[in-house]
Amino acid sequence: MSYPKEIYLKAERILEKRRDNAVMEAQLRAEKIREDVPEIDKLQGELSGIGLEISRLFFYRENAPEKVEELRAKSKALTDKRAQLLVKNGYAENAMQPEYVCSVCEDRGFVSGRLCTCHRQLLKDIMRDEIKKVAPLDDCTFDNFDTEKYDTAPDENGIVPRQRAESILDAAHRYAQGFSQNSKNILFLGATGLGKTHLSLAIVNVVINRGFSVCYGTSQNICEDLQSEQFGRDSDIIYKKRRVLDCDLLVIDDLGTEIDNQYSIATLYNIINSRILAKKPTIISTNYEPTELYKKYDQRITSRITGEYMAMQFAGKDIRIS
């Protein structure tokens, strides 16, 4: 489970801002409290003096445990007195302390050298926000995938679209809940408007919540951005090579919409092959039928997709048309 460097950096900046804001607001409150309750100012001076004395004893390694305990006891008595004064004057007893978003790590993001729960959640939130820039992530969940919209009459191949959709929904749900770096690759096949993108994003929702990094994009956008990166035009692109290849789960939507040239073919082959070799799961969705894929792409790509991907074929007509 690893996130792109820029995700970690963004989280660090947010944590730093949270902590700075908490400290600054505490300083402003303390100034007002000192004006309202002059006795507090004297107590604060005494507490600061005790803190300096304890630090001096440790710095010079003076063996004076009894003196340290005496100073700590005095500090606690002054702190208790300060709390009483604050409450007496209508303030909370800890009003002079910073109010951190996370009281466990005090907005540092780490506890005993390990990521705090708040830091983990922040990484997930940033990852989610990144995908929401390019896809309706909040609108696509397993709960609102409505199989009632699919036909119950068998098609020309004897397949009942609703039964097929229910089967794929169940398989996708189990895949998401059990996702790991050893999960299989998935190929969603079927005509436009059958829910391929919806289920892809539903999987993404669960996988992100479980702490994995995800990269989602259309085949066209990914190929275009990687081409821009290769030629040094990478200032405003979303998809960079390392992010596409290294994420825990890659979702390529609308395979076949990319510009039909040798560069796109080579790019797709490199992505698919590299992730197979690295044993990193990928989900691909396409409106193309298998026979159409064989015609559009050379054997290097089709052989890897057919050999390494678990195909899920939707059936029926566009459910978005009432």
Side-chain angles (χ1 to χ4, degrees):
M1 298 183 186
S2 61
Y3 293 93
K5 181 180 179 181
E6 55 267 29
I7 299 292
Y8 283 111
L9 291 175
K10 187 173 289 188
E12 289 175 9
R13 289 194 293 269
I14 292 173
L15 287 167
E16 184 178 355
K17 186 175 181 179
R18 286 178 180 178
R19 185 170 175 80
D20 288 345
N21 286 343
V23 171
M24 180 179 68
E25 290 171 4
Q27 290 173 344
L28 293 174
R29 284 197 305 274
E31 289 177 8
K32 185 177 185 306
I33 289 171
R34 288 192 180 98
E35 292 177 4
D36 294 345
V37 191
E39 302 97 311
I40 292 287
D41 203 25
K42 181 180 178 182
L43 289 176
Q44 286 297 106
E46 293 181 46
L47 284 166
S48 296
I50 291 173
L52 288 172
E53 180 61 16
I54 291 176
S55 296
R56 188 190 68 78
L57 291 173
F58 279 115
F59 182 78
Y60 290 106
R61 298 182 180 179
E62 295 183 14
N63 188 16
E66 293 181 0
K67 178 64 174 176
V68 171
E69 287 304 314
E70 178 186 337
L71 290 170
R72 284 176 173 166
K74 187 175 181 181
S75 176
K76 185 180 184 308
L78 291 171
T79 300
D80 291 342
K81 185 176 180 180
R82 181 183 64 186
Q84 294 169 5
L85 271 173
L86 287 169
V87 172
K88 181 180 177 182
N89 287 273
Y91 292 97
E93 63 179 25
N94 61 348
M96 299 184 73
Q97 302 303 313
E99 296 178 359
Y100 299 108
V101 173
C102 178
S103 59
V104 177
C105 69
E106 296 184 342
D107 295 341
R108 291 182 173 87
F110 292 89
V111 178
S112 301
R114 299 173 65 88
L115 281 179
C116 181
T117 302
C118 75
H119 196 163
R120 294 182 187 278
Q121 185 59 50
L122 184 55
L123 290 168
K124 296 177 187 178
D125 291 342
I126 295 172
M127 185 86 264
R128 180 177 298 278
D129 288 341
E130 290 292 307
I131 293 178
K132 284 165 63 175
K133 292 176 183 177
V134 297
L137 189 60
D138 291 341
D139 299 330
C140 299
T141 67
F142 288 113
D143 290 338
N144 64 14
F145 186 80
D146 188 4
T147 57
E148 296 295 315
K149 294 181 178 180
Y150 293 82
D151 290 336
T152 56
D155 63 13
E156 62 275 12
N157 297 312
I159 297 172
V160 179
R162 183 177 296 179
Q163 291 179 356
R164 177 61 61 85
E166 289 171 346
S167 176
I168 293 175
L169 170 62
D170 180 65
H173 201 181
R174 285 187 281 106
Y175 178 89
Q177 290 177 321
F179 181 84
S180 72
Q181 291 173 321
N182 295 318
S183 291
K184 295 180 179 180
N185 304 303
I186 291 179
L187 176 64
F188 284 132
L189 296 146
T192 301
L194 290 181
K196 300 184 299 297
T197 296
H198 188 127
L199 281 187
S200 294
L201 289 172
I203 291 172
V204 168
N205 264 305
V206 174
V207 170
I208 288 177
N209 286 339
R210 297 188 58 228
F212 294 95
S213 64
V214 179
C215 182
Y216 172 94
T218 64
S219 178
Q220 178 181 354
N221 290 338
I222 290 173
C223 287
E224 287 179 356
D225 276 8
L226 292 184
Q227 183 174 10
S228 294
E229 181 185 21
Q230 181 174 342
F231 290 100
R233 302 188 300 270
D234 61 354
S235 57
D236 295 314
I237 66 175
I238 297 174
Y239 307 101
K240 295 189 176 183
K241 182 178 180 180
R242 288 269 54 90
R243 185 164 187 174
V244 170
L245 296 183
D246 293 346
C247 61
D248 295 324
L249 174 64
L250 171 66
V251 179
I252 303 176
D253 203 5
D254 283 334
L255 179 69
T257 59
E258 70 283 348
I259 296 174
D260 192 2
N261 58 31
Q262 287 303 308
Y263 177 81
S264 294
I265 298 297
T267 299
L268 287 171
Y269 170 76
N270 182 52
I271 293 171
I272 293 169
N273 189 56
S274 295
R275 290 186 63 84
I276 288 173
L277 292 176
K279 299 187 183 303
K280 288 182 173 292
T282 302
I283 295 174
I284 295 176
S285 71
T286 181
N287 296 336
Y288 283 72
E289 292 295 324
T291 54
E292 295 174 311
L293 289 176
Y294 291 131
K295 292 178 182 178
K296 183 174 178 62
Y297 300 105
D298 63 34
Q299 189 178 5
R300 294 185 307 162
I301 291 179
T302 55
S303 65
R304 280 160 179 76
I305 291 178
T306 56
E308 299 289 343
Y309 282 67
M310 178 171 58
M312 297 188 187
Q313 176 84 51
F314 287 78
K317 300 177 182 179
D318 193 334
I319 61 173
R320 296 174 298 189
I321 301 176
S322 57

